[in-house]
Each structure stands twice: as structure tokens, then as C-alpha cells.
Amino acid sequence: MTKTRNRYGVAFAGVILHLMIGGVYAWSVFTKPISAYTGWKETAVSFAFSLAIFFLGMSAAFMGRLVEKFGPTVTGTISSICYGSGIALTGLAVQSHHLWLLYLAYGVIGGLGLGSGYVTPVSTIVRWFPDKRGLATGLAIMGFGFAAMLTGPVAQKLMAAVGIANTFYILGAFYFVVMVVAAQFIKKPRPNELPQAIAQNAQRVSLTNRELTANQALKTRTFAFLWFMFFINITTGIGLVSAASPMAQNMTTMTASAAAVMVGIIGLFNGFGRLVWATLSDFIGRPLTYSLIFVLDIVMLFILLFFKMPFIFAMALCLLMSCYGAGFSVIPAYLGDVFGTKELGAIHGYVLTAWAAAGMVGPLLLSYTHQVLHNYYVTLIVFVIIDALAMIVSVWIQRDFVPHRETKAA
């Protein structure tokens, strides 16, 4: 008889993998040192991050397919090779002063590693935890959100000790070793491996009682609605996080040092929001959770518009960042509830293309309107409008689940 594997061990390996690739959020720590060492403009160096996020979102679509076809261990290993080598080649780009190599290494190769690594554990963990989908995905994706808090201080100490290029060589090797080991423990549950009581809970949380392929899911109105909701949530969040410090200084009496502290605190809310909201969704359901996220977004955006007290402004931004993090952690469980887990990795990958689009739209919208109008008010009003539209869609989408609920009741 085949031994039953520990599902918490699989989840832990997924968290470790996300902790490694989540180091991408610490890129701002490298921007000034790279600029000073190479003479490149800071905006040119910062673009490498935008490129990496774009390739994360775009590569996740086909990497999700590979998760279903070859298994998460294979895609996790691909991720470790791409991300580890991408980071190491970034060191070579800095050392040789080749900006094109920086974009290729960190943006393209590293971005491919991010995309494959991001989708690898999520759909797998959902399969292991049909009874606690929200909690499981929240834990894994929280690791991605918190990674910058670990990578930032370590990277600063390494740069002071061994220099900027050597720091990337060391980090690249470390990421590769840890990720390739973690990937070997991320495997799908075998048929009938989960206890019957746990497996039956998959039907309890199902909103449609369907098991669709990725191609079937793509053709549904529900998928289009979920993509739109995710896109709006990320557009608002990533736009605000890209300008949190200057916005706080411009719209309140907050000093630069106080704004820097605030940025650190909102990072905590981004990380914890992923776990708290996802866990809450296990109790109140994913549809209601997403609707509440947009309601809170709208209320907090109005507070940013009309309240100029630094503390209230900071708290509103913190709650907005918790909603931003929530969008990432709730969506995989939501997809599992709606489309089943048959090809969840591929479906999740397709939805992540909204992240690639939002990563371009949100910051550009905010920076362009500020450049033209010299204030943030118009952008905040636009965010209120699009969040209101997303909230309407979030309520409307629940009409698709009514027939199944009626069947359950009967």
C-alpha cells in the first residue's frame, strides 16, 4: 500500500519556493547601488523590475499548462534554473556594464522563473486542501508578499561586504539550491490519497459542481468576469504602492522619513492581508469576500480624497494594501470553487495575465495624471469608479452560481 504523504509538508515547500521568488519585490534595494556603480539612470534600472513582472504574468499562462501536463516538480525545477541563473546573470550585467543584459537576465529570464515558480505550488496546494483552500493559498502567497522583508536587509549586508555584482552571484546560487530542493516535495495528491472526509469537502465549497478544462473555462462569461475583477484590484493596488510615499507627502503634512516608515508598514498589511482575507473566505465564501474587498477599496479611496490627517491617511493606505494582497490569495481558491481543480494550474496561469496588464496600467496611469495635473485626485477618482464597476461585476457574477445552489438545497 502506498504511503500517504503529509500535505502540510507539501504546503511548506510551496511557501519556501514563494519566499525565494518573492525577493523580486526587494528590487528597489538594488536600484541606487546599481545606478551608482554603472552610471545608468535609476529609471532605466527600475524598468528591469517592470519587465520582470510583465514576463511573470505572461509566462504564467503557458507555465500553468506545463504544471498540468508535467507536474509541479518539473515546473518548480524550471523556475529554480531560470530564476537562479537570471539573478546570477544580473550580476554579470552589472559587472560588465551591459544594460541590455540586465533586461534579458532579470527581466526576461528571471521573469520566466517568476511565472513558473508562482503557479507551481498554488494549484497543487489547493488540491491538497479542498477543505481549507483559502488558508492554504493564503499561506503560500503570503510568502511571496513577505519575501522582500527578508531579502532587503540580507542584500544590503551582502553588498556592503562583497560588492554589488558578487551579491547577485551569491543570491543566484542560493535561490537555485533552495528552490530546486523545495520543488522535489511539491507533488499532486495521488487518486484516493486524501482521506474521504477531506475529499468530500471539495464538493461542499464548489459553486458550480463542475470540473472544467482550461480551454472550457476560458470560453465562459464567469472567467471573463473574474479576470476583470482581478485586473481592477491589482491596477488599484499596484498603482497606489508605486507612489505611496510621494502621495502621502503631497496630500498630507507627512514628512519623508514618516512616509518611509509608512511604506514599510503597508508592506506588512500587504503580506498579512493575503492570509487574513483568504482565511476569511473559507468561512464566508469567495464571492462575498471579493465583494467586500471592493467595498473596502472604495471607502478607503474616499478617505484618501477627503481626510488629510497623516494617521488616518496611512491607515487607509494600509487597508487598501491588505485588499491588494487579498486579490492574489483569494483568486486561486475562487477559481477552484468555480471551475474545479482538474486544470486549475492552467486556469490560474491565464488569470495572471491580468497582473501583467495591471502592472503596466496602474503605475503609468497614476504617474501620467500626476505629471499632467500635478495632483493625485483625478487618479483616485478614477480608481473609485473602476472599483465600483468591479464591485458590480462581483455581485453580478453570483447569478451564475444560483442554479447550483438551488440544486444543492434540493
Side-chain angles (χ1 to χ4, degrees):
M1 186 171 177
T2 307
K3 183 181 177 182
T4 300
R5 292 165 292 184
N6 189 322
R7 60 179 184 161
Y8 290 96
V10 177
F12 179 72
V15 172
I16 294 299
L17 192 76
H18 266 211
L19 273 173
M20 297 300 105
I21 62 173
V24 68
Y25 275 146
W27 182 248
S28 59
V29 172
F30 301 111
T31 304
K32 285 188 177 180
I34 291 175
S35 180
Y37 183 83
T38 60
W40 300 330
K41 292 182 179 179
E42 285 187 31
T43 51
V45 177
S46 296
F47 181 69
F49 172 79
S50 298
L51 202 59
I53 295 299
F54 176 78
F55 273 91
L56 185 164
M58 298 310 294
S59 66
F62 70 86
M63 285 299 180
R65 280 280 187 191
L66 296 185
V67 172
E68 302 303 338
K69 188 173 182 178
F70 300 108
T73 298
V74 172
T75 53
T77 303
I78 292 172
S79 174
S80 65
I81 295 169
C82 289
Y83 191 64
S85 61
I87 297 297
L89 285 171
T90 299
L92 180 61
V94 171
Q95 189 173 17
S96 60
H97 289 60
H98 290 309
L99 185 60
W100 66 267
L101 183 57
L102 174 71
Y103 293 153
L104 175 65
Y106 196 84
V108 180
I109 300 174
L112 291 172
L114 289 170
S116 53
Y118 193 89
V119 297
T120 288
V122 177
S123 61
T124 307
I125 292 174
V126 168
R127 287 185 171 96
W128 280 99
F129 290 84
D131 53 333
K132 301 174 183 176
R133 286 177 178 173
L135 173 63
T137 57
L139 280 170
I141 294 175
M142 183 181 71
F144 192 89
F146 274 139
M149 296 178 62
L150 300 175
T151 304
V154 170
Q156 286 178 326
K157 289 183 179 180
L158 278 174
M159 285 188 287
V162 299
I164 181 71
N166 289 331
T167 295
F168 283 108
Y169 296 144
I170 293 169
L171 287 176
F174 178 76
Y175 288 149
F176 169 74
V177 171
V178 174
M179 289 171 66
V180 79
V181 171
Q184 310 315 304
F185 294 92
I186 305 174
K187 299 182 183 295
K188 298 176 185 177
R190 294 182 289 264
N192 303 317
E193 184 169 6
L194 288 173
Q196 192 63 29
I198 293 175
Q200 285 174 346
N201 276 311
Q203 295 302 313
R204 179 180 60 82
V205 299
S206 176
L207 293 170
T208 60
N209 202 25
R210 293 185 296 180
E211 289 286 339
L212 301 186
T213 65
N215 286 341
Q216 289 171 333
L218 279 175
K219 296 173 184 176
T220 64
R221 180 181 68 174
T222 308
F223 179 87
F225 283 170
L226 288 171
W227 192 98
F228 176 76
M229 288 158 52
F230 187 56
F231 170 75
I232 295 301
N233 178 260
I234 305 309
T235 296
T236 301
I238 209 167
L240 292 172
V241 78
S242 69
S245 178
M247 183 187 295
Q249 295 174 63
N250 184 277
M251 297 180 70
T252 72
T253 57
M254 196 178 296
T255 63
S257 57
V261 172
M262 181 198 70
V263 169
I265 295 172
I266 66 176
L268 289 174
F269 275 80
N270 179 7
F272 279 118
R274 296 167 188 243
L275 178 61
V276 173
W277 281 99
T279 304
L280 176 66
S281 75
D282 282 334
F283 294 96
I284 67 173
R286 258 61 75 172
L288 179 57
T289 302
Y290 242 95
S291 296
L292 289 176
I293 287 170
F294 290 121
V295 170
L296 188 60
D297 268 347
I298 293 166
V299 173
M300 293 304 111
L301 286 166
F302 271 117
I303 288 176
L304 293 185
L305 282 166
F306 296 110
F307 288 83
K308 307 305 176 191
M309 289 169 281
F311 177 77
I312 294 177
F313 192 93
M315 284 307 302
L317 268 178
C318 285
L319 291 174
L320 280 161
M321 285 305 102
S322 79
C323 293
Y324 169 59
F328 290 103
S329 60
V330 177
I331 199 69
Y334 205 157
L335 293 169
D337 294 350
V338 175
F339 302 115
T341 58
K342 184 178 181 180
E343 292 191 1
L344 182 58
I347 298 169
H348 184 217
Y350 287 137
V351 162
L352 289 177
T353 58
W355 188 2
M360 294 292 182
V361 173
L364 283 175
L365 175 63
L366 197 143
S367 61
Y368 179 75
T369 53
H370 181 258
Q371 181 181 330
V372 173
L373 303 170
H374 305 292
N375 67 66
Y376 294 101
Y377 293 100
V378 173
T379 309
L380 292 176
I381 292 170
V382 170
F383 285 163
V384 168
I385 293 169
I386 62 175
D387 274 288
L389 288 173
M391 184 185 69
I392 293 169
V393 171
S394 182
V395 174
W396 181 264
I397 197 177
Q398 296 179 48
R399 294 163 62 95
D400 293 347
F401 313 141
V402 171
H404 177 58
R405 286 173 179 164
E406 290 174 347
T407 303
K408 270 188 174 180

